[in-house]
Structure formats: structure tokens, C-alpha cells
Amino acid sequence: MTSNELLEFRTSVRALLSKHATPAALRTAMDSELGYDPKLWTMLCEQVGVAALAIPEEWGGAGAGLVESLMVVGELGATLAGVPMLGSAVLGVQAILLAGDEQACERLLPDLAEGSRTAALCWADAAGWDSPGVRSADGKLDGTAHYVLHGAQAELLLVLTDEGLFETTPEAAGVTVTPTPALDPTRKLASISFTGTPATPIGTGDPAALRDRLREIAWAAVAAEQVGAARRCLDMTVEYTASRVQFGRPIGSFQALKHRMADMYVLVESAESTALAAAQALAEDSATVAEDVYVARRHCTETFSHVAAETIQLHGGIAITWEHDAHLYFKRAHATAELFGTGRRPMAA
């Protein structure tokens, strides 16, 4: 998409979310077994085509790319809507595409593009994402994948192992899915165990290279989400301080608070630039992609954590009540700080 087309697309996504992804809808979805509003996901897929963005047209997609997909992730971050965009339409789709298996693409991607089927990427061991929690031998899977996004809701399981990427389903023999309590109540996680589970290999490429690129995509996506959420925190804080009156004047007029909000603004703007640079580097497969993604991961994480904490402080006592949304953003900030690991700075070439 051109810059103007991208802005128009973002406006469409934002308009739909402002109408249907309200705070009340978020809280209703949080308490449901699914963890998100299926009607919202259907509207996003059918009216805007978010699940099809990064899928080539030959497999039922829109033929756009990661920049557009991560822009949607950012808009969803602003509302905390827990639809399976990140887990299925970004990580699941990219895992299949990166594996380079055309038969798997033809078989799996059309349904994912429609959003009628969702995928979960099974990856981490108990310690995190540095090592896969599942191993493969003789076409069978054994082990446990932890912290799987929407693992209890997905119809397709994509399992990342040291031996490669495999495909199976929650109904397959030896699969046990256990929902996992999480700090962030707006995002569903699960542990998925495999015991002699038959699985179909996808692609024959280098598993380590596949895992590294998926980590970069995951970090860039989380960075985009963090920026969207941080900007929403900033907007909430500015709106509140403009209406909260103390000593006969809005508290936002006090110089000390102006400075704090100005610092928040600078952080959000710079984080948005780094997140966009990371998305573009991935889309173009630039020589600096590893460094760009690492910078976005670190800076966006620090920005969201700081801005969410300031949001709590500047809202005063109401921000820590269950009825206010600020604490949900604060929890999302702490959860995304650990999601997909923190990693190390890439070595210079």
C-alpha cells in the first residue's frame, strides 16, 4: 500500500474498533471462555480483511505485507482487544510462509485468510522462547509448549521444534490443552502437551533460521502493539488531567504535570518511529533487520512500561480500581515486557 492508502486503511480499522471494541465489550470478552468477541473478529476479517493482509493472493490473501498487518496489531493494542490477530494472522501465517512449503500454503492459508480458522504457534519451553518445548522424532511430537497465544481456542496447531515446523490439531491423539492463568486478563494463554502425537512436517528449511525470523517478527509485532497501547494511555491521561479540577483549575495546567505528559509524548512518538522502522526492515529483509527489531523491542517495551506507570500516577486513586481501564494497560505493559523473551543485542557484522 502507498502511504495514503495505509492511512486510509488505518482509519477504517480504527473506526470499526472505536464502535465495536469498547471498554465494556472488552470486559465482557475477558470473562468469556473464548477470551475475545467472535463477532468483532468476524467483522475485522470480512469487512476489513485483516487476517488476509500478509497472505499472497494465490492463497486467498490480499497480497499486502507485514507493515499492514502490524499496523492492525497496533490498533488492536490501543483497545486491548484480544482477537487472534497476533497469534494466528501474524505468527501462524508467517510460520507457514517462512517454511516454504507450497502444498501446506495451499492447504492451510485460505481458511486462515478468511479468519474462519485460527492457528496457534506452539513454541516456548517452561523457561521461555530460547528453546522449543516440544521435540520431534519419527513423525511424532513429545513435550509441552508453554505460553501459547489462544492455544485453547485455535483449530490448527503449528509446532516449532529443533527439527522443524509441524502441523497438527487439538483433536489429535496425545494432545492435552490446558488454559494458563496470566497476569494480563485481556489475553488468553495455554500450555499444550504432546505425547506421541502424529504430526505433518511443513517445509524442509533450516529450523534455527525459521525460529530466529519468527522471533524477529514476534518482537516487531509486540512493539507495534505496545506503541498503540502506550498512545492510548497518553490520550487517556491528557483527557483526564484536562477535566480533573484541583485548586480551582484543571490539574493538566500545572507545569509539573505538563512536563511529565510532554515526556510521555516524546517517548510514544519515538517508539512509534522505531516500531515502524522494524516493520519496514522485516518487510524489505534489510541488512539491519536484527538491530532494528532489537531497538524496537527494547525501546517500545520501556516506553509502554513508563507511560503505563505514569498513567496510573496521574490518574490518582481511581486508576487502581477494577472499574477503571488504566490497570488493564499496566498489566498488559508488564506482560508484553516478557512475551517472546527479551533477547540480547545483536552482534555487529
Side-chain angles (χ1 to χ4, degrees):
M1 293 185 185
T2 66
S3 297
N4 288 336
E5 289 173 336
L6 193 61
L7 289 174
E8 291 177 4
F9 179 69
R10 183 173 67 180
T11 299
S12 299
V13 174
R14 190 171 293 179
L16 191 152
L17 292 176
S18 66
K19 183 176 181 180
H20 298 284
T22 62
L26 170 65
R27 290 173 181 268
T28 299
M30 278 168 37
D31 295 332
S32 69
E33 183 177 352
L34 193 60
Y36 63 89
D37 181 0
K39 293 181 180 179
L40 173 63
W41 179 239
T42 298
M43 285 188 288
L44 285 166
C45 293
E46 293 183 351
Q47 298 180 21
V48 188
V50 299
L53 285 171
I55 297 176
E57 294 180 4
E58 61 186 299
W59 295 311
L66 267 176
V67 172
E68 292 80 3
S69 292
L70 299 195
M71 187 215 68
V72 174
V73 172
E75 293 301 315
L76 290 169
T79 64
L80 301 183
V83 296
M85 181 70 192
L86 174 56
S88 180
V90 175
L91 295 180
V93 164
Q94 290 301 315
I96 296 169
L97 289 172
L98 290 169
D101 187 329
E102 291 198 4
Q103 291 184 344
C105 289
E106 184 177 357
R107 184 176 69 254
L108 301 175
L109 290 180
D111 287 345
L112 295 181
E114 291 179 357
S116 58
R117 192 183 191 193
T118 60
L121 183 62
C122 305
W123 178 353
D125 65 12
W129 288 264
D130 289 335
S131 301
V134 181
R135 60 190 180 277
S136 170
D138 300 324
K140 302 290 181 66
L141 302 176
D142 288 280
T144 300
H146 297 262
Y147 322 116
V148 181
L149 272 62
H150 291 294
Q153 294 80 29
E155 295 90 1
L156 171 66
L157 301 181
L158 300 170
V159 187
L160 194 61
T161 74
D162 283 332
E163 294 73 34
L165 184 68
F166 292 83
E167 165 201 350
T168 187
T169 66
E171 295 79 23
V175 177
T176 302
V177 180
T178 306
T180 305
L183 170 66
D184 177 8
T186 66
R187 172 170 280 152
K188 296 290 187 181
L189 301 177
S191 295
I192 303 182
S193 297
F194 303 87
T195 305
T197 301
T200 302
I202 299 178
T204 57
D206 180 3
L210 172 62
R211 187 165 65 246
D212 288 346
R213 180 46 60 97
L214 282 173
R215 173 78 72 97
E216 291 172 344
I217 293 170
W219 279 359
V222 170
E225 179 186 284
Q226 290 169 325
V227 169
R231 187 172 293 282
R232 176 58 186 146
C233 286
L234 173 60
D235 292 342
M236 288 167 51
T237 304
V238 171
E239 181 181 355
Y240 176 75
T241 58
S243 61
R244 176 73 168 92
V245 175
Q246 188 75 1
F247 305 113
R249 56 191 288 194
I251 62 173
S253 65
F254 298 141
Q255 189 173 27
L257 299 193
K258 285 183 179 179
H259 286 170
R260 291 172 71 171
M261 286 184 285
D263 290 342
M264 293 166 67
Y265 174 78
V266 170
L267 282 173
V268 172
E269 288 292 309
S270 61
E272 185 171 34
S273 295
T274 63
L276 181 57
Q280 291 177 333
L282 280 167
E284 298 168 2
D285 195 21
S286 74
T288 61
V289 62
E291 185 173 355
D292 290 336
V293 170
Y294 176 82
V295 169
R297 170 60 173 162
R298 293 300 299 268
H299 184 47
C300 294
T301 294
E302 292 169 3
T303 293
F304 187 21
S305 296
H306 177 79
V307 170
E310 286 287 83
T311 299
I312 296 288
Q313 289 284 325
L314 295 178
H315 274 78
I318 67 168
I320 59 173
T321 62
W322 176 252
E323 291 76 15
H324 201 278
D325 293 335
H327 75 96
L328 295 176
Y329 287 88
F330 187 74
K331 291 172 182 175
R332 174 66 70 91
H334 281 270
T336 54
E338 303 298 329
L339 190 61
F340 304 117
T342 54
R344 300 177 180 176
R345 184 180 180 85
M347 298 296 291

